[in-house]
Amino acid sequence: MESAFYVAIILVSLLLMMVILLQSKASGFSGAFGGDTSAIYRTRRGLEKTLFQLTIGVAVIFVVLSLLGQWLL
């Protein structure tokens, strides 16, 4: 049971990394350093919106699994 729980945490963490990396764009770091502030406040549509929501969902699952692992194991 314990090893299955650790495998689940590893798989969720790998999925989270993959989804975060899929969100990266070719714009680089210009928005992070003040180069393009219009990209920060734009509306997400289509696949980008789905990917953003999937990232939030996977992150919540990761946090819940980590907290459960702390209390149960």
Side-chain angles (χ1 to χ4, degrees):
M1 176 76 178
E2 189 173 328
S3 62
F5 187 77
Y6 289 137
V7 168
I9 289 178
I10 291 170
L11 290 176
V12 169
S13 66
L14 290 174
L15 180 64
L16 182 61
M17 285 188 279
M18 184 177 62
V19 172
I20 288 172
L21 288 174
L22 283 174
Q23 286 187 8
S24 65
K25 295 185 179 188
S27 64
F29 291 107
S30 64
F33 297 114
D36 183 22
T37 57
S38 65
I40 296 173
Y41 300 109
R42 63 184 179 80
T43 304
R44 293 177 174 92
R45 294 187 177 138
L47 181 63
E48 185 180 3
K49 182 178 180 181
T50 304
L51 206 56
F52 179 71
Q53 292 171 343
L54 181 65
T55 304
I56 292 172
V58 173
V60 168
I61 291 170
F62 178 75
V63 169
V64 168
L65 284 176
S66 298
L67 291 175
L68 284 175
Q70 203 56 6
W71 286 323
L72 297 178
L73 302 178

